[in-house]
Amino acid sequence: MKYKAAIVLAAAALAWPGSAAIPADAPVADEIPIALLVDISSGQVLYEREADRRFVPASVTKVMTAYTAFKLVDEGALRLDMPFLYSEEMEDEWYAEGSNMFLRAGERPTIAQLLLGITTVSGNDASVAIAMASTGSLEEWLELMNANARELGMRNTHFGSPNGFPDGGQTYTTANDLALLGQAITQQYPGLYRRFFGHRRLRWRDITQVNHDPVTGRVDGADGMKTGFTNEAGFTFIGSAERDNRRLVMILAGSPTGEARDESARQLLEWGFDGFERQVLLPEGALVGSALVQDGARSQVGLRLPQEFTIALPVDREETDWQVDIVYRGPIEAPITAGDPVARLRLVIDGEAVLETPLEATEDVAKANSWQRIANAFARWF
């Protein structure tokens, strides 16, 4: 059974324009079918258009390739200074095949150099090289990519290649899934993200290429991530920027032109920062209520916020009422350990759920002994 309790807070009047969760005036070109802007500092969706619609990501796939490499590096299974011997077979298959680092047989790029080739110039060859260097086979690398996608909750995503090259529809994703990936790569590996994303150009041998990222260096705080294009996918982009401890992640997909994608990407990020202001609703550690406990030494357990509960509010807004609810499936079965995530705090505006954050138990609750079970049974009966 799902339980819900409203929390009454003082001064519970927030401002919000017409649609509570998603304002409709974001500057995204009408011809772009898929768009999403998320404030990952709070998890709040600022704008969405067909965010659960599957599409072919093209070279945006390489963000998962970079994430998979970052994870291996963090675990100690891969070294950034490790060289990899690029083979004739790989050169024959991938030299000048789409976007390229232009690797040649016999060269020994390091893992760090391959990562820069992936994140800066979208090297199809570098993506395959890092897969082979890490696992020895594309099949094992793809298993890692797809396992990582499942672990991140990317339920509508599958990878059939390490670089997004056309593969007969094996590779697909959604904007909501890519937002999870964008959050993970920026928050779990911030040092590696800063080191390898956001570079404007790359020189390999005597070849200098520029990054096609439309926001880095053009939007204040923008630092990546990845464009993509195939005839099947159209023009795609996942981008991110951070200002004043607010990080936004945006996705555009299916644009008919690169110009529409690039302009919409820049305008959407600016709109997300300039059109909203951050407000703390409840501080970190706030005690917000309690939840019922089943077969426990106590009949209830306290609930607190492990992190502050914030929301991004549109600057130009009208007054409206709001409500904060405690939501959980319960009663929650004992035993419970302090710090266990046992419920959620939900912000509802105009009857629409806008934002949720976890709530944790404030104390341990042991399993009830025989006398406590009898007392609990009488309490429930009365």
Side-chain angles (χ1 to χ4, degrees), residues 42 305-309 343-347 355-359:
S42 64
L305 278 165
Q307 57 192 18
E308 67 180 15
F309 192 36
R344 302 184 308 281
L345 193 63
R346 176 183 295 167
L347 174 65
L355 188 61
E356 288 191 4
T357 193
L359 292 173

Side-chain angles (χ1 to χ4, degrees), residues 92-115:
D92 290 343
E93 184 174 1
W94 290 106
Y95 188 79
E97 192 68 58
S99 54
N100 229 256
M101 189 174 168
F102 296 105
L103 294 167
R104 289 290 194 180
E107 293 183 326
R108 292 179 175 270
T110 65
I111 296 299
Q113 289 170 326
L114 290 174
L115 276 167

Side-chain angles (χ1 to χ4, degrees), residues 20-282:
I22 304 166
D25 58 346
V28 178
D30 292 339
E31 61 266 30
I32 299 177
I34 298 169
L36 179 66
L37 179 65
V38 180
D39 185 336
I40 66 170
S41 306
S42 64
Q44 182 182 347
V45 173
L46 304 183
Y47 179 81
E48 69 171 328
R49 181 189 293 173
E50 299 281 1
D52 283 319
R53 176 177 165 183
R54 287 183 178 180
F55 64 89
V56 177
S59 284
V60 169
T61 296
K62 291 162 186 162
V63 177
M64 177 55 87
T65 290
Y67 174 86
T68 301
F70 288 0
K71 186 174 183 182
L72 292 174
V73 169
D74 185 67
E75 293 170 348
L78 190 64
R79 294 193 341 266
L80 290 173
D81 62 353
M82 184 184 83
F84 173 69
L85 178 61
Y86 198 71
S87 68
E88 280 191 33
E89 180 183 2
M90 295 173 72
E91 179 184 336
D92 290 343
E93 184 174 1
W94 290 106
Y95 188 79
E97 192 68 58
S99 54
N100 229 256
M101 189 174 168
F102 296 105
L103 294 167
R104 289 290 194 180
E107 293 183 326
R108 292 179 175 270
T110 65
I111 296 299
Q113 289 170 326
L114 290 174
L115 276 167
L116 286 172
I118 293 166
T119 59
T120 307
V121 298
S122 193
N124 288 328
D125 50 353
S127 301
V128 174
I130 207 165
M132 297 299 293
S134 302
T135 63
S137 76
L138 289 181
E139 290 74 16
E140 288 188 36
W141 179 260
L142 292 174
E143 287 180 9
L144 281 180
M145 291 177 68
N146 286 307
N148 288 337
R150 290 191 296 273
E151 185 178 297
L152 294 176
M154 300 171 67
R155 296 181 178 84
N156 289 301
T157 294
H158 183 266
F159 296 105
S161 78
N163 53 23
F165 206 73
D167 58 10
Q170 294 183 63
T171 299
Y172 56 82
T173 190
T174 67
N176 274 329
D177 279 4
L178 285 180
L180 294 173
L181 176 58
Q183 177 178 17
I185 200 168
T186 57
Q187 304 305 296
Q188 293 180 21
Y189 309 112
L192 290 169
Y193 177 77
R194 287 191 298 268
R195 177 171 175 176
F196 290 104
F197 281 88
H199 297 276
R200 295 309 307 159
R201 58 181 50 81
L202 177 71
R203 182 178 178 85
W204 180 252
R205 290 193 317 276
D206 58 346
I207 302 171
T208 299
Q209 300 181 76
V210 298
N211 193 339
H212 297 298
D213 168 1
V215 298
T216 303
R218 298 176 175 87
V219 174
D220 184 26
D223 51 17
M225 298 176 201
K226 193 73 198 68
T227 58
F229 169 76
T230 64
N231 289 330
E232 179 185 13
F235 292 87
T236 63
F237 179 59
I238 175 172
S240 186
E242 186 174 29
R243 296 182 194 170
D244 300 324
N245 295 318
R246 283 184 66 207
R247 179 169 286 278
L248 306 184
V249 169
M250 54 148 300
I251 295 95
L252 299 174
S255 175
T257 68
E259 292 79 7
R261 175 199 63 189
D262 295 353
E263 184 64 23
S264 291
R266 290 188 285 268
Q267 292 184 1
L268 187 57
L269 281 177
E270 294 286 8
W271 176 83
F273 283 115
D274 297 341
F276 293 81
E277 60 186 5
R278 181 173 177 269
Q279 181 169 330
V280 178
L281 300 186
L282 291 166

Side-chain angles (χ1 to χ4, degrees), residues 337-361:
T337 301
D340 283 349
V342 293
R344 302 184 308 281
L345 193 63
R346 176 183 295 167
L347 174 65
V348 179
I349 300 177
D350 293 341
E352 185 174 354
V354 173
L355 188 61
E356 288 191 4
T357 193
L359 292 173
E360 63 185 20

